[in-house]
Amino acid sequence: MMTSQPTPTGPIGLVGFDGDDTLWKSEDYYRKAEQDYLDILSRYVDLHDTATARHLLEVQQRNLAVFGYGVKGMTLSMIEAAIDISQQMITARDLQQIIDIGHDTLRHPVELIDGVSESVAAIANDYPIVLITKGDLFHQEAKIKVANLRDLFPRIEIVSEKDPETYARVLEEFDLPIERFVMVGNSLRSDIEPVVTLGGWGIHTPYSVTWAHETQHGVAADEPRMVEAPTAFDWPQALRAIEAKAAQG
């Protein structure tokens, strides 16, 4: 969906926003799902052994190329990990409970993070904006609908992975050089690293909890093409700081 957007003549021509844990809360519900999963596994293994949680992460990471990101992939990985770690002793009843965890997580409330609506609207007055979010197509579409974001974002991209190739494709469709693009997000791995690697800019707003997979990145704390914004309220100011940096070449 495309509508009329501003046409800035300055050094920044497009601002992208991540979805999960940048615009709306998400990881909290995944953490609850993982705890509920571990409660089930406590019937079979000693939860004081940190290998239990680590095993689930390893299975999830291994399955990303097959199942992708999102609740459905998480649930299938939970089932696989539970069968493995219980040495195939887990009951059908407990497997059903893991499936129920997936169902409950898919139906979690969609709660915008404080400051998101105001800051995105303010930025949209001056710049074209795009929502770039990864995960399960149906679940992401549902969250965008419930959050009433379709009217705010003229362009929405739901992608299977956030890597340099994905960002390069999006920017090619906008016919915009990467050095005029800013990505706003909570994940250094997915939102910042691919963009600054290509020569773009990043605004990093950490969320209170982060999936272990997303903590694996190569972004330095003093990355010159990144600005830290503690909250969503700080995004317009952070964008002005990047404009000033970009204008200096």
PDB file of all heavy atoms in Angstrom, residues 22-58:
ATOM      1  N   THR A  22      10.126  -2.946  19.157  1.00  0.00           N
ATOM      2  CA  THR A  22      10.454  -1.564  18.796  1.00  0.00           C
ATOM      3  C   THR A  22       9.176  -0.737  18.791  1.00  0.00           C
ATOM      4  O   THR A  22       9.100   0.310  19.427  1.00  0.00           O
ATOM      5  CB  THR A  22      11.133  -1.494  17.425  1.00  0.00           C
ATOM      6  OG1 THR A  22      12.386  -2.200  17.471  1.00  0.00           O
ATOM      7  CG2 THR A  22      11.399  -0.047  17.018  1.00  0.00           C
ATOM      8  N   LEU A  23       8.154  -1.223  18.067  1.00  0.00           N
ATOM      9  CA  LEU A  23       6.860  -0.551  18.055  1.00  0.00           C
ATOM     10  C   LEU A  23       5.913  -1.131  19.095  1.00  0.00           C
ATOM     11  O   LEU A  23       5.162  -0.399  19.736  1.00  0.00           O
ATOM     12  CB  LEU A  23       6.225  -0.661  16.664  1.00  0.00           C
ATOM     13  CG  LEU A  23       7.005  -0.029  15.496  1.00  0.00           C
ATOM     14  CD1 LEU A  23       6.210  -0.188  14.211  1.00  0.00           C
ATOM     15  CD2 LEU A  23       7.322   1.429  15.757  1.00  0.00           C
ATOM     16  N   TRP A  24       5.927  -2.453  19.235  1.00  0.00           N
ATOM     17  CA  TRP A  24       5.027  -3.109  20.194  1.00  0.00           C
ATOM     18  C   TRP A  24       5.805  -4.149  21.002  1.00  0.00           C
ATOM     19  O   TRP A  24       6.856  -4.625  20.599  1.00  0.00           O
ATOM     20  CB  TRP A  24       3.850  -3.774  19.482  1.00  0.00           C
ATOM     21  CG  TRP A  24       4.271  -4.766  18.428  1.00  0.00           C
ATOM     22  CD1 TRP A  24       4.797  -6.022  18.618  1.00  0.00           C
ATOM     23  CD2 TRP A  24       4.227  -4.580  17.014  1.00  0.00           C
ATOM     24  NE1 TRP A  24       5.069  -6.627  17.433  1.00  0.00           N
ATOM     25  CE2 TRP A  24       4.734  -5.776  16.425  1.00  0.00           C
ATOM     26  CE3 TRP A  24       3.793  -3.544  16.176  1.00  0.00           C
ATOM     27  CZ2 TRP A  24       4.825  -5.946  15.041  1.00  0.00           C
ATOM     28  CZ3 TRP A  24       3.890  -3.716  14.804  1.00  0.00           C
ATOM     29  CH2 TRP A  24       4.399  -4.902  14.242  1.00  0.00           C
ATOM     30  N   LYS A  25       5.261  -4.492  22.160  1.00  0.00           N
ATOM     31  CA  LYS A  25       5.899  -5.468  23.047  1.00  0.00           C
ATOM     32  C   LYS A  25       5.714  -6.873  22.488  1.00  0.00           C
ATOM     33  O   LYS A  25       4.642  -7.240  22.029  1.00  0.00           O
ATOM     34  CB  LYS A  25       5.296  -5.380  24.450  1.00  0.00           C
ATOM     35  CG  LYS A  25       5.503  -4.025  25.111  1.00  0.00           C
ATOM     36  CD  LYS A  25       4.869  -3.965  26.491  1.00  0.00           C
ATOM     37  CE  LYS A  25       5.070  -2.588  27.131  1.00  0.00           C
ATOM     38  NZ  LYS A  25       4.470  -2.515  28.475  1.00  0.00           N
ATOM     39  N   SER A  26       6.786  -7.670  22.564  1.00  0.00           N
ATOM     40  CA  SER A  26       6.734  -9.015  22.004  1.00  0.00           C
ATOM     41  C   SER A  26       7.512 -10.023  22.842  1.00  0.00           C
ATOM     42  O   SER A  26       6.984 -11.059  23.227  1.00  0.00           O
ATOM     43  CB  SER A  26       7.279  -9.013  20.564  1.00  0.00           C
ATOM     44  OG  SER A  26       7.308 -10.313  20.028  1.00  0.00           O
ATOM     45  N   GLU A  27       8.770  -9.712  23.120  1.00  0.00           N
ATOM     46  CA  GLU A  27       9.636 -10.696  23.759  1.00  0.00           C
ATOM     47  C   GLU A  27       9.125 -11.127  25.131  1.00  0.00           C
ATOM     48  O   GLU A  27       9.364 -12.269  25.554  1.00  0.00           O
ATOM     49  CB  GLU A  27      11.057 -10.129  23.892  1.00  0.00           C
ATOM     50  CG  GLU A  27      12.099 -11.126  24.400  1.00  0.00           C
ATOM     51  CD  GLU A  27      12.279 -12.330  23.492  1.00  0.00           C
ATOM     52  OE1 GLU A  27      11.994 -12.228  22.279  1.00  0.00           O
ATOM     53  OE2 GLU A  27      12.715 -13.387  23.995  1.00  0.00           O
ATOM     54  N   ASP A  28       8.385 -10.264  25.807  1.00  0.00           N
ATOM     55  CA  ASP A  28       7.812 -10.635  27.108  1.00  0.00           C
ATOM     56  C   ASP A  28       6.980 -11.912  26.985  1.00  0.00           C
ATOM     57  O   ASP A  28       7.031 -12.788  27.859  1.00  0.00           O
ATOM     58  CB  ASP A  28       6.919  -9.503  27.627  1.00  0.00           C
ATOM     59  CG  ASP A  28       7.601  -8.164  27.627  1.00  0.00           C
ATOM     60  OD1 ASP A  28       7.735  -7.577  26.537  1.00  0.00           O
ATOM     61  OD2 ASP A  28       7.998  -7.701  28.703  1.00  0.00           O
ATOM     62  N   TYR A  29       6.221 -12.016  25.905  1.00  0.00           N
ATOM     63  CA  TYR A  29       5.331 -13.163  25.719  1.00  0.00           C
ATOM     64  C   TYR A  29       6.112 -14.414  25.332  1.00  0.00           C
ATOM     65  O   TYR A  29       5.735 -15.529  25.706  1.00  0.00           O
ATOM     66  CB  TYR A  29       4.270 -12.825  24.676  1.00  0.00           C
ATOM     67  CG  TYR A  29       3.456 -11.603  25.058  1.00  0.00           C
ATOM     68  CD1 TYR A  29       3.684 -10.367  24.472  1.00  0.00           C
ATOM     69  CD2 TYR A  29       2.479 -11.683  26.055  1.00  0.00           C
ATOM     70  CE1 TYR A  29       2.960  -9.243  24.839  1.00  0.00           C
ATOM     71  CE2 TYR A  29       1.753 -10.567  26.443  1.00  0.00           C
ATOM     72  CZ  TYR A  29       1.996  -9.350  25.829  1.00  0.00           C
ATOM     73  OH  TYR A  29       1.283  -8.233  26.210  1.00  0.00           O
ATOM     74  N   TYR A  30       7.204 -14.228  24.592  1.00  0.00           N
ATOM     75  CA  TYR A  30       8.059 -15.368  24.271  1.00  0.00           C
ATOM     76  C   TYR A  30       8.746 -15.887  25.533  1.00  0.00           C
ATOM     77  O   TYR A  30       8.920 -17.102  25.703  1.00  0.00           O
ATOM     78  CB  TYR A  30       9.107 -14.968  23.232  1.00  0.00           C
ATOM     79  CG  TYR A  30       8.574 -14.894  21.825  1.00  0.00           C
ATOM     80  CD1 TYR A  30       7.959 -13.743  21.347  1.00  0.00           C
ATOM     81  CD2 TYR A  30       8.690 -15.981  20.957  1.00  0.00           C
ATOM     82  CE1 TYR A  30       7.468 -13.674  20.054  1.00  0.00           C
ATOM     83  CE2 TYR A  30       8.210 -15.924  19.659  1.00  0.00           C
ATOM     84  CZ  TYR A  30       7.596 -14.763  19.218  1.00  0.00           C
ATOM     85  OH  TYR A  30       7.106 -14.690  17.933  1.00  0.00           O
ATOM     86  N   ARG A  31       9.151 -14.966  26.411  1.00  0.00           N
ATOM     87  CA  ARG A  31       9.783 -15.393  27.655  1.00  0.00           C
ATOM     88  C   ARG A  31       8.802 -16.177  28.531  1.00  0.00           C
ATOM     89  O   ARG A  31       9.171 -17.163  29.169  1.00  0.00           O
ATOM     90  CB  ARG A  31      10.310 -14.170  28.419  1.00  0.00           C
ATOM     91  CG  ARG A  31      11.527 -13.527  27.774  1.00  0.00           C
ATOM     92  CD  ARG A  31      12.733 -14.468  27.743  1.00  0.00           C
ATOM     93  NE  ARG A  31      13.859 -13.866  27.048  1.00  0.00           N
ATOM     94  CZ  ARG A  31      14.810 -13.159  27.662  1.00  0.00           C
ATOM     95  NH1 ARG A  31      14.756 -12.978  28.968  1.00  0.00           N
ATOM     96  NH2 ARG A  31      15.803 -12.657  26.967  1.00  0.00           N
ATOM     97  N   LYS A  32       7.551 -15.732  28.572  1.00  0.00           N
ATOM     98  CA  LYS A  32       6.541 -16.469  29.338  1.00  0.00           C
ATOM     99  C   LYS A  32       6.335 -17.851  28.729  1.00  0.00           C
ATOM    100  O   LYS A  32       6.217 -18.857  29.455  1.00  0.00           O
ATOM    101  CB  LYS A  32       5.213 -15.717  29.362  1.00  0.00           C
ATOM    102  CG  LYS A  32       4.137 -16.438  30.183  1.00  0.00           C
ATOM    103  CD  LYS A  32       2.819 -15.718  30.171  1.00  0.00           C
ATOM    104  CE  LYS A  32       1.806 -16.418  31.075  1.00  0.00           C
ATOM    105  NZ  LYS A  32       1.623 -17.854  30.750  1.00  0.00           N
ATOM    106  N   ALA A  33       6.306 -17.914  27.392  1.00  0.00           N
ATOM    107  CA  ALA A  33       6.135 -19.205  26.720  1.00  0.00           C
ATOM    108  C   ALA A  33       7.289 -20.139  27.065  1.00  0.00           C
ATOM    109  O   ALA A  33       7.079 -21.333  27.334  1.00  0.00           O
ATOM    110  CB  ALA A  33       6.051 -18.989  25.211  1.00  0.00           C
ATOM    111  N   GLU A  34       8.501 -19.599  27.078  1.00  0.00           N
ATOM    112  CA  GLU A  34       9.663 -20.429  27.398  1.00  0.00           C
ATOM    113  C   GLU A  34       9.597 -20.919  28.842  1.00  0.00           C
ATOM    114  O   GLU A  34       9.942 -22.068  29.129  1.00  0.00           O
ATOM    115  CB  GLU A  34      10.952 -19.647  27.162  1.00  0.00           C
ATOM    116  CG  GLU A  34      12.204 -20.469  27.422  1.00  0.00           C
ATOM    117  CD  GLU A  34      13.474 -19.719  27.056  1.00  0.00           C
ATOM    118  OE1 GLU A  34      13.482 -19.038  26.014  1.00  0.00           O
ATOM    119  OE2 GLU A  34      14.463 -19.821  27.819  1.00  0.00           O
ATOM    120  N   GLN A  35       9.157 -20.064  29.773  1.00  0.00           N
ATOM    121  CA  GLN A  35       9.050 -20.488  31.161  1.00  0.00           C
ATOM    122  C   GLN A  35       7.996 -21.572  31.321  1.00  0.00           C
ATOM    123  O   GLN A  35       8.192 -22.550  32.050  1.00  0.00           O
ATOM    124  CB  GLN A  35       8.716 -19.289  32.058  1.00  0.00           C
ATOM    125  CG  GLN A  35       8.710 -19.642  33.546  1.00  0.00           C
ATOM    126  CD  GLN A  35      10.019 -20.258  34.017  1.00  0.00           C
ATOM    127  OE1 GLN A  35      11.081 -19.657  33.869  1.00  0.00           O
ATOM    128  NE2 GLN A  35       9.950 -21.467  34.570  1.00  0.00           N
ATOM    129  N   ASP A  36       6.860 -21.411  30.623  1.00  0.00           N
ATOM    130  CA  ASP A  36       5.818 -22.436  30.677  1.00  0.00           C
ATOM    131  C   ASP A  36       6.332 -23.759  30.108  1.00  0.00           C
ATOM    132  O   ASP A  36       6.004 -24.841  30.607  1.00  0.00           O
ATOM    133  CB  ASP A  36       4.580 -21.981  29.898  1.00  0.00           C
ATOM    134  CG  ASP A  36       3.859 -20.822  30.577  1.00  0.00           C
ATOM    135  OD1 ASP A  36       4.118 -20.581  31.773  1.00  0.00           O
ATOM    136  OD2 ASP A  36       3.055 -20.154  29.904  1.00  0.00           O
ATOM    137  N   TYR A  37       7.125 -23.674  29.060  1.00  0.00           N
ATOM    138  CA  TYR A  37       7.739 -24.862  28.444  1.00  0.00           C
ATOM    139  C   TYR A  37       8.683 -25.543  29.441  1.00  0.00           C
ATOM    140  O   TYR A  37       8.648 -26.771  29.609  1.00  0.00           O
ATOM    141  CB  TYR A  37       8.487 -24.429  27.183  1.00  0.00           C
ATOM    142  CG  TYR A  37       9.535 -25.389  26.684  1.00  0.00           C
ATOM    143  CD1 TYR A  37       9.191 -26.499  25.909  1.00  0.00           C
ATOM    144  CD2 TYR A  37      10.890 -25.174  26.958  1.00  0.00           C
ATOM    145  CE1 TYR A  37      10.164 -27.362  25.439  1.00  0.00           C
ATOM    146  CE2 TYR A  37      11.863 -26.024  26.483  1.00  0.00           C
ATOM    147  CZ  TYR A  37      11.504 -27.122  25.724  1.00  0.00           C
ATOM    148  OH  TYR A  37      12.464 -27.979  25.262  1.00  0.00           O
ATOM    149  N   LEU A  38       9.505 -24.746  30.132  1.00  0.00           N
ATOM    150  CA  LEU A  38      10.430 -25.318  31.106  1.00  0.00           C
ATOM    151  C   LEU A  38       9.685 -25.944  32.279  1.00  0.00           C
ATOM    152  O   LEU A  38      10.126 -26.954  32.836  1.00  0.00           O
ATOM    153  CB  LEU A  38      11.394 -24.236  31.599  1.00  0.00           C
ATOM    154  CG  LEU A  38      12.409 -23.727  30.565  1.00  0.00           C
ATOM    155  CD1 LEU A  38      13.206 -22.563  31.138  1.00  0.00           C
ATOM    156  CD2 LEU A  38      13.336 -24.843  30.105  1.00  0.00           C
ATOM    157  N   ASP A  39       8.552 -25.366  32.653  1.00  0.00           N
ATOM    158  CA  ASP A  39       7.746 -25.964  33.721  1.00  0.00           C
ATOM    159  C   ASP A  39       7.286 -27.362  33.333  1.00  0.00           C
ATOM    160  O   ASP A  39       7.246 -28.279  34.174  1.00  0.00           O
ATOM    161  CB  ASP A  39       6.531 -25.079  34.018  1.00  0.00           C
ATOM    162  CG  ASP A  39       6.908 -23.781  34.709  1.00  0.00           C
ATOM    163  OD1 ASP A  39       8.048 -23.687  35.224  1.00  0.00           O
ATOM    164  OD2 ASP A  39       6.074 -22.853  34.727  1.00  0.00           O
ATOM    165  N   ILE A  40       6.951 -27.537  32.068  1.00  0.00           N
ATOM    166  CA  ILE A  40       6.557 -28.869  31.590  1.00  0.00           C
ATOM    167  C   ILE A  40       7.750 -29.817  31.620  1.00  0.00           C
ATOM    168  O   ILE A  40       7.652 -30.962  32.084  1.00  0.00           O
ATOM    169  CB  ILE A  40       5.975 -28.771  30.166  1.00  0.00           C
ATOM    170  CG1 ILE A  40       4.659 -27.992  30.185  1.00  0.00           C
ATOM    171  CG2 ILE A  40       5.769 -30.163  29.560  1.00  0.00           C
ATOM    172  CD1 ILE A  40       4.119 -27.663  28.796  1.00  0.00           C
ATOM    173  N   LEU A  41       8.895 -29.337  31.169  1.00  0.00           N
ATOM    174  CA  LEU A  41      10.085 -30.187  31.135  1.00  0.00           C
ATOM    175  C   LEU A  41      10.581 -30.553  32.524  1.00  0.00           C
ATOM    176  O   LEU A  41      11.296 -31.548  32.683  1.00  0.00           O
ATOM    177  CB  LEU A  41      11.201 -29.491  30.367  1.00  0.00           C
ATOM    178  CG  LEU A  41      11.125 -29.506  28.840  1.00  0.00           C
ATOM    179  CD1 LEU A  41      12.450 -29.070  28.246  1.00  0.00           C
ATOM    180  CD2 LEU A  41      10.753 -30.883  28.304  1.00  0.00           C
ATOM    181  N   SER A  42      10.202 -29.757  33.529  1.00  0.00           N
ATOM    182  CA  SER A  42      10.655 -30.055  34.893  1.00  0.00           C
ATOM    183  C   SER A  42      10.137 -31.408  35.373  1.00  0.00           C
ATOM    184  O   SER A  42      10.648 -31.955  36.351  1.00  0.00           O
ATOM    185  CB  SER A  42      10.197 -28.953  35.848  1.00  0.00           C
ATOM    186  OG  SER A  42       8.776 -28.961  35.995  1.00  0.00           O
ATOM    187  N   ARG A  43       9.146 -31.950  34.697  1.00  0.00           N
ATOM    188  CA  ARG A  43       8.635 -33.284  35.035  1.00  0.00           C
ATOM    189  C   ARG A  43       9.572 -34.385  34.557  1.00  0.00           C
ATOM    190  O   ARG A  43       9.413 -35.550  34.938  1.00  0.00           O
ATOM    191  CB  ARG A  43       7.250 -33.478  34.415  1.00  0.00           C
ATOM    192  CG  ARG A  43       6.242 -32.402  34.825  1.00  0.00           C
ATOM    193  CD  ARG A  43       5.039 -32.375  33.910  1.00  0.00           C
ATOM    194  NE  ARG A  43       4.259 -31.143  34.135  1.00  0.00           N
ATOM    195  CZ  ARG A  43       3.279 -30.716  33.340  1.00  0.00           C
ATOM    196  NH1 ARG A  43       2.944 -31.436  32.269  1.00  0.00           N
ATOM    197  NH2 ARG A  43       2.639 -29.602  33.611  1.00  0.00           N
ATOM    198  N   TYR A  44      10.549 -33.998  33.719  1.00  0.00           N
ATOM    199  CA  TYR A  44      11.417 -35.002  33.106  1.00  0.00           C
ATOM    200  C   TYR A  44      12.905 -34.765  33.371  1.00  0.00           C
ATOM    201  O   TYR A  44      13.680 -35.730  33.381  1.00  0.00           O
ATOM    202  CB  TYR A  44      11.205 -35.018  31.578  1.00  0.00           C
ATOM    203  CG  TYR A  44       9.780 -35.292  31.177  1.00  0.00           C
ATOM    204  CD1 TYR A  44       8.883 -34.240  30.992  1.00  0.00           C
ATOM    205  CD2 TYR A  44       9.313 -36.594  30.998  1.00  0.00           C
ATOM    206  CE1 TYR A  44       7.566 -34.484  30.628  1.00  0.00           C
ATOM    207  CE2 TYR A  44       8.004 -36.845  30.634  1.00  0.00           C
ATOM    208  CZ  TYR A  44       7.133 -35.772  30.457  1.00  0.00           C
ATOM    209  OH  TYR A  44       5.820 -36.034  30.105  1.00  0.00           O
ATOM    210  N   VAL A  45      13.309 -33.494  33.569  1.00  0.00           N
ATOM    211  CA  VAL A  45      14.732 -33.193  33.722  1.00  0.00           C
ATOM    212  C   VAL A  45      14.926 -32.181  34.851  1.00  0.00           C
ATOM    213  O   VAL A  45      13.975 -31.542  35.294  1.00  0.00           O
ATOM    214  CB  VAL A  45      15.341 -32.619  32.415  1.00  0.00           C
ATOM    215  CG1 VAL A  45      15.285 -33.649  31.301  1.00  0.00           C
ATOM    216  CG2 VAL A  45      14.628 -31.331  31.998  1.00  0.00           C
ATOM    217  N   ASP A  46      16.177 -32.047  35.263  1.00  0.00           N
ATOM    218  CA  ASP A  46      16.543 -31.085  36.305  1.00  0.00           C
ATOM    219  C   ASP A  46      16.725 -29.714  35.657  1.00  0.00           C
ATOM    220  O   ASP A  46      17.651 -29.503  34.859  1.00  0.00           O
ATOM    221  CB  ASP A  46      17.843 -31.531  36.977  1.00  0.00           C
ATOM    222  CG  ASP A  46      18.283 -30.563  38.070  1.00  0.00           C
ATOM    223  OD1 ASP A  46      17.502 -29.636  38.397  1.00  0.00           O
ATOM    224  OD2 ASP A  46      19.412 -30.736  38.578  1.00  0.00           O
ATOM    225  N   LEU A  47      15.872 -28.776  35.999  1.00  0.00           N
ATOM    226  CA  LEU A  47      15.948 -27.452  35.400  1.00  0.00           C
ATOM    227  C   LEU A  47      17.132 -26.647  35.904  1.00  0.00           C
ATOM    228  O   LEU A  47      17.462 -25.601  35.334  1.00  0.00           O
ATOM    229  CB  LEU A  47      14.651 -26.673  35.666  1.00  0.00           C
ATOM    230  CG  LEU A  47      13.409 -27.190  34.943  1.00  0.00           C
ATOM    231  CD1 LEU A  47      12.237 -26.255  35.204  1.00  0.00           C
ATOM    232  CD2 LEU A  47      13.651 -27.319  33.448  1.00  0.00           C
ATOM    233  N   HIS A  48      17.788 -27.096  36.964  1.00  0.00           N
ATOM    234  CA  HIS A  48      18.975 -26.399  37.432  1.00  0.00           C
ATOM    235  C   HIS A  48      20.145 -26.599  36.467  1.00  0.00           C
ATOM    236  O   HIS A  48      21.138 -25.868  36.526  1.00  0.00           O
ATOM    237  CB  HIS A  48      19.364 -26.883  38.836  1.00  0.00           C
ATOM    238  CG  HIS A  48      18.383 -26.473  39.896  1.00  0.00           C
ATOM    239  ND1 HIS A  48      17.375 -27.306  40.320  1.00  0.00           N
ATOM    240  CD2 HIS A  48      18.230 -25.308  40.581  1.00  0.00           C
ATOM    241  CE1 HIS A  48      16.654 -26.681  41.244  1.00  0.00           C
ATOM    242  NE2 HIS A  48      17.148 -25.470  41.420  1.00  0.00           N
ATOM    243  N   ASP A  49      20.020 -27.563  35.590  1.00  0.00           N
ATOM    244  CA  ASP A  49      21.019 -27.781  34.548  1.00  0.00           C
ATOM    245  C   ASP A  49      20.755 -26.785  33.421  1.00  0.00           C
ATOM    246  O   ASP A  49      19.742 -26.881  32.726  1.00  0.00           O
ATOM    247  CB  ASP A  49      20.934 -29.220  34.036  1.00  0.00           C
ATOM    248  CG  ASP A  49      21.999 -29.541  33.000  1.00  0.00           C
ATOM    249  OD1 ASP A  49      22.739 -28.616  32.619  1.00  0.00           O
ATOM    250  OD2 ASP A  49      22.075 -30.700  32.573  1.00  0.00           O
ATOM    251  N   THR A  50      21.632 -25.815  33.267  1.00  0.00           N
ATOM    252  CA  THR A  50      21.403 -24.757  32.267  1.00  0.00           C
ATOM    253  C   THR A  50      21.377 -25.295  30.845  1.00  0.00           C
ATOM    254  O   THR A  50      20.959 -24.587  29.926  1.00  0.00           O
ATOM    255  CB  THR A  50      22.500 -23.677  32.372  1.00  0.00           C
ATOM    256  OG1 THR A  50      23.788 -24.295  32.199  1.00  0.00           O
ATOM    257  CG2 THR A  50      22.448 -22.984  33.721  1.00  0.00           C
ATOM    258  N   ALA A  51      21.799 -26.536  30.661  1.00  0.00           N
ATOM    259  CA  ALA A  51      21.796 -27.108  29.314  1.00  0.00           C
ATOM    260  C   ALA A  51      20.381 -27.247  28.767  1.00  0.00           C
ATOM    261  O   ALA A  51      20.187 -27.301  27.547  1.00  0.00           O
ATOM    262  CB  ALA A  51      22.485 -28.475  29.320  1.00  0.00           C
ATOM    263  N   THR A  52      19.378 -27.274  29.643  1.00  0.00           N
ATOM    264  CA  THR A  52      17.995 -27.446  29.190  1.00  0.00           C
ATOM    265  C   THR A  52      17.551 -26.257  28.351  1.00  0.00           C
ATOM    266  O   THR A  52      17.070 -26.419  27.222  1.00  0.00           O
ATOM    267  CB  THR A  52      17.053 -27.616  30.395  1.00  0.00           C
ATOM    268  OG1 THR A  52      17.479 -28.731  31.185  1.00  0.00           O
ATOM    269  CG2 THR A  52      15.628 -27.873  29.919  1.00  0.00           C
ATOM    270  N   ALA A  53      17.699 -25.051  28.886  1.00  0.00           N
ATOM    271  CA  ALA A  53      17.324 -23.857  28.132  1.00  0.00           C
ATOM    272  C   ALA A  53      18.238 -23.660  26.930  1.00  0.00           C
ATOM    273  O   ALA A  53      17.800 -23.229  25.860  1.00  0.00           O
ATOM    274  CB  ALA A  53      17.357 -22.634  29.033  1.00  0.00           C
ATOM    275  N   ARG A  54      19.520 -23.964  27.105  1.00  0.00           N
ATOM    276  CA  ARG A  54      20.477 -23.804  26.012  1.00  0.00           C
ATOM    277  C   ARG A  54      20.140 -24.744  24.858  1.00  0.00           C
ATOM    278  O   ARG A  54      20.270 -24.387  23.680  1.00  0.00           O
ATOM    279  CB  ARG A  54      21.897 -24.060  26.510  1.00  0.00           C
ATOM    280  CG  ARG A  54      22.972 -23.760  25.461  1.00  0.00           C
ATOM    281  CD  ARG A  54      24.365 -23.771  26.072  1.00  0.00           C
ATOM    282  NE  ARG A  54      24.736 -25.103  26.551  1.00  0.00           N
ATOM    283  CZ  ARG A  54      24.891 -25.407  27.842  1.00  0.00           C
ATOM    284  NH1 ARG A  54      24.691 -24.488  28.768  1.00  0.00           N
ATOM    285  NH2 ARG A  54      25.240 -26.638  28.209  1.00  0.00           N
ATOM    286  N   HIS A  55      19.666 -25.928  25.188  1.00  0.00           N
ATOM    287  CA  HIS A  55      19.294 -26.898  24.160  1.00  0.00           C
ATOM    288  C   HIS A  55      18.149 -26.366  23.301  1.00  0.00           C
ATOM    289  O   HIS A  55      18.171 -26.503  22.066  1.00  0.00           O
ATOM    290  CB  HIS A  55      18.888 -28.226  24.807  1.00  0.00           C
ATOM    291  CG  HIS A  55      18.494 -29.279  23.823  1.00  0.00           C
ATOM    292  ND1 HIS A  55      19.386 -29.874  22.974  1.00  0.00           N
ATOM    293  CD2 HIS A  55      17.288 -29.827  23.535  1.00  0.00           C
ATOM    294  CE1 HIS A  55      18.761 -30.761  22.210  1.00  0.00           C
ATOM    295  NE2 HIS A  55      17.481 -30.740  22.526  1.00  0.00           N
ATOM    296  N   LEU A  56      17.163 -25.734  23.932  1.00  0.00           N
ATOM    297  CA  LEU A  56      16.050 -25.170  23.174  1.00  0.00           C
ATOM    298  C   LEU A  56      16.552 -24.091  22.221  1.00  0.00           C
ATOM    299  O   LEU A  56      16.154 -24.054  21.051  1.00  0.00           O
ATOM    300  CB  LEU A  56      14.999 -24.582  24.116  1.00  0.00           C
ATOM    301  CG  LEU A  56      13.855 -23.809  23.433  1.00  0.00           C
ATOM    302  CD1 LEU A  56      13.092 -24.703  22.473  1.00  0.00           C
ATOM    303  CD2 LEU A  56      12.927 -23.198  24.474  1.00  0.00           C
ATOM    304  N   LEU A  57      17.444 -23.213  22.693  1.00  0.00           N
ATOM    305  CA  LEU A  57      17.983 -22.168  21.832  1.00  0.00           C
ATOM    306  C   LEU A  57      18.717 -22.778  20.644  1.00  0.00           C
ATOM    307  O   LEU A  57      18.555 -22.324  19.493  1.00  0.00           O
ATOM    308  CB  LEU A  57      18.938 -21.268  22.623  1.00  0.00           C
ATOM    309  CG  LEU A  57      19.664 -20.187  21.807  1.00  0.00           C
ATOM    310  CD1 LEU A  57      18.660 -19.211  21.204  1.00  0.00           C
ATOM    311  CD2 LEU A  57      20.671 -19.441  22.673  1.00  0.00           C
ATOM    312  N   GLU A  58      19.494 -23.823  20.892  1.00  0.00           N
ATOM    313  CA  GLU A  58      20.240 -24.466  19.807  1.00  0.00           C
ATOM    314  C   GLU A  58      19.297 -25.066  18.770  1.00  0.00           C
ATOM    315  O   GLU A  58      19.532 -24.969  17.557  1.00  0.00           O
ATOM    316  CB  GLU A  58      21.159 -25.544  20.380  1.00  0.00           C
ATOM    317  CG  GLU A  58      22.320 -24.969  21.197  1.00  0.00           C
ATOM    318  CD  GLU A  58      23.078 -26.044  21.973  1.00  0.00           C
ATOM    319  OE1 GLU A  58      22.607 -27.208  21.989  1.00  0.00           O
ATOM    320  OE2 GLU A  58      24.129 -25.717  22.566  1.00  0.00           O
TER     321      GLU A  58
END
